[in-house]
């Protein structure tokens, strides 16, 4: 009985540790994430239903360095706890179609909620959450590139919970009025995990500690998998005498 209680205490403590070290501060700016816009460590495919989110733009044409207000908005009574957004060329055949364009800026009053990211060596070329707070909408600014590069659009990955997220959330096309040859097109980003990333570990029974585990990791959009607390529990060593007064 004492050993079981000790184990549960370690699990609970490690759960709290997971809260502090997961995607609470947004996704990493790795090449994989920046190119594919697919969250790491979620171990599930993106949702296939119509995204309950919209990207609104203050205008749908641009000139060099022009500032545009961008709003990511939840619809249908939804909310989101994480997001990752870039602007990209509306030309799927372009060799640099995947490269992010322009520069994002977080509003002064939202510095604790959002952050810009340096994707593929382009400073402030992406923007994401930096807290696990629920959002109804997120508003920020974007400045166009220094030169006209053709039509473009904004694309985002939006996370409601760790295993519920949508990729390919897109804005209307933002047009380059000097480009009369191309109509512009949307280019899909990754929406399914690779086979080796599939999590085949069965879910644990829903005991007290398991409920705590799931509610915590799902809420913050943890980039550890759902069993990270058990990995932590076995990796963290703690002298038993520290728990004696608690367990007895």
């Amino acid at each position: 009985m004492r050993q079981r209680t000790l184990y549960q205490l370690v699990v609970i403590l490690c759960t709290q540790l997971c809260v502090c070290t997961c995607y609470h501060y947004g996704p990493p700016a790795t090449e994989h994430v920046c190119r594919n816009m697919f969250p790491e460590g979620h171990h599930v495919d993106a949702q296939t239903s119509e995204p309950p989110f919209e990207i609104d733009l203050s205008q749908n044409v641009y000139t060099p360095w022009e500032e545009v207000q961008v709003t990511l908005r939840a619809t249908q009574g939804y909310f989101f706890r994480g997001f990752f957004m870039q602007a990209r060329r509306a030309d799927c055949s372009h060799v640099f179609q995947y490269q992010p364009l322009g520069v994002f800026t977080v509003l002064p009053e939202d510095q604790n909620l959002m952050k810009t990211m340096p994707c593929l060596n382009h400073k402030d070329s992406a923007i994401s959450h930096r807290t696990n707070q629920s959002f109804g909408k997120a508003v920020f600014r974007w400045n166009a590139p220094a030169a006209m590069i053709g039509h473009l659009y904004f694309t985002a990955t939006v996370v409601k919970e760790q295993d519920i997220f949508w990729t390919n959330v897109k804005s209307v096309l933002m047009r380059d009025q000097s480009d009369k040859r191309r109509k512009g097109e949307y280019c899909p980003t990754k929406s399914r995990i690779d086979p080796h990333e599939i999590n085949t570990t069965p879910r644990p029974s829903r005991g007290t500690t398991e409920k705590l585990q799931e509610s915590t990791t799902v809420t913050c959009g943890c980039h550890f998998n759902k069993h990270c607390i058990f990995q932590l529990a076995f990796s963290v060593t703690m002298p038993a005498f520290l728990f004696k007064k608690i367990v007895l």
Side-chain angles (χ1 to χ4, degrees):
M1 182 65 182
R2 292 180 180 178
Q3 289 180 341
R4 179 181 178 83
T5 306
L6 174 60
Y7 175 75
Q8 290 176 340
L9 285 170
V10 171
V11 168
I12 291 171
L13 287 172
C14 290
T15 302
Q16 300 307 313
L17 180 58
C18 187
V19 171
C20 298
T21 56
C22 63
Y23 268 168
H24 182 90
Y25 298 109
T30 63
E31 181 176 355
H32 175 81
V33 170
C34 289
R35 279 175 176 264
N36 297 317
M37 300 199 68
F38 193 86
E40 292 181 340
H42 287 237
H43 302 290
V44 294
D45 296 332
Q47 298 293 301
T48 57
S49 60
E50 188 72 16
F53 310 102
E54 297 174 346
I55 300 175
D56 299 329
L57 308 177
S58 58
Q59 59 195 65
N60 59 6
V61 296
Y62 74 97
T63 56
W65 292 118
E66 188 167 15
E67 183 177 276
V68 178
Q69 179 172 290
V70 183
T71 303
L72 174 62
R73 187 190 317 276
T75 63
Q76 306 171 28
Y78 270 74
F79 63 89
F80 56 96
R81 289 197 173 102
F83 72 95
F84 179 59
M85 184 183 293
Q86 297 176 2
R88 291 189 172 187
R89 288 179 173 85
D91 181 0
C92 301
S93 64
H94 197 287
V95 65
F96 295 124
Q97 190 281 324
Y98 60 86
Q99 286 192 346
L101 303 169
V103 174
F104 286 95
T105 303
V106 178
L107 301 178
E109 61 269 26
D110 292 330
Q111 293 291 329
N112 293 329
L113 303 177
M114 293 174 269
K115 67 176 182 178
T116 58
M117 298 170 58
C119 264
L120 303 177
N121 298 317
H122 295 276
K123 184 179 180 182
D124 300 327
S125 59
I127 190 166
S128 79
H129 66 287
R130 70 181 311 163
T131 175
N132 64 343
Q133 174 177 312
S134 297
F135 291 84
K137 68 177 181 178
V139 182
F140 35 87
R141 297 191 183 102
W142 175 84
N143 285 90
M148 304 301 286
I149 46 79
H151 309 312
L152 56 85
Y153 62 91
F154 293 82
T155 181
T157 295
V158 186
V159 178
K160 182 176 181 290
E161 297 180 358
Q162 192 214 1
D163 53 2
I164 303 177
F165 61 90
W166 286 260
T167 57
N168 293 294
V169 180
K170 292 180 169 59
S171 71
V172 298
L173 291 179
M174 178 167 280
R175 298 198 172 275
D176 174 352
Q177 293 183 305
S178 67
D179 188 349
K180 306 297 183 182
R181 295 184 299 112
R182 288 180 288 270
K183 293 183 178 180
E185 59 185 336
Y186 294 106
C187 311
T189 55
K190 182 177 178 180
S191 61
R192 298 179 65 86
I193 58 174
D194 298 326
H196 69 273
E197 296 176 322
I198 297 174
N199 185 5
T200 58
T201 306
R203 288 176 178 264
S205 60
R206 291 184 172 272
T208 303
T209 56
E210 287 80 6
K211 286 183 178 178
L212 177 59
Q213 170 204 354
E214 288 194 1
S215 64
T216 305
T217 55
V218 167
T219 297
C220 68
C222 185
H223 80 279
F224 291 101
N225 62 42
K226 288 190 175 183
H227 304 284
C228 63
I229 65 168
F230 295 106
Q231 297 168 9
L232 286 167
F234 288 113
S235 64
V236 176
T237 58
M238 198 169 297
F241 69 83
L242 292 177
F243 292 94
K244 282 185 177 179
K245 292 185 179 180
I246 302 175
V247 175
L248 291 176

